[in-house]
Amino acid sequence: MSDTYQIDENSCQPIDVERLRNSEQVSHKPKMLLLYGSLRARSFSRLKTEEAALVLSKLGAETK
């Protein structure tokens, strides 16, 4: 079973890096920094942030 079972794989298109580029040539994936505000083990903001990281990774971004 996929870890992103709620996402329709056919609806997700990889990030088109060519569309994101300006006149400069970038050789890396888009980088996303995701922040959350709680350090609790069962923090809902942390869980949402981790879910967003999974989705962005599936779309081709590098997340941290």
Side-chain angles (χ1 to χ4, degrees):
M1 177 180 262
S2 171
D3 55 352
T4 55
Y5 61 90
Q6 68 279 20
I7 297 174
D8 179 15
E9 297 288 332
N10 298 325
S11 297
C12 294
Q13 300 298 318
I15 294 173
D16 184 2
V17 179
E18 293 299 320
R19 290 181 60 200
L20 296 176
R21 291 185 180 159
N22 294 330
S23 59
E24 302 174 11
Q25 293 298 317
V26 179
S27 61
H28 58 81
K29 296 178 179 182
K31 295 180 181 180
M32 307 289 176
L33 177 62
L34 303 162
L35 303 173
Y36 56 91
S38 179
L39 299 177
R40 291 179 291 158
R42 187 66 177 162
S43 164
F44 288 110
S45 62
R46 181 182 60 81
L47 293 173
K48 288 171 120 177
T49 303
E50 289 176 356
E51 185 69 22
L54 283 172
V55 171
L56 289 168
S57 294
K58 280 281 199 189
L59 292 173
E62 180 181 327
T63 61
K64 187 168 186 173

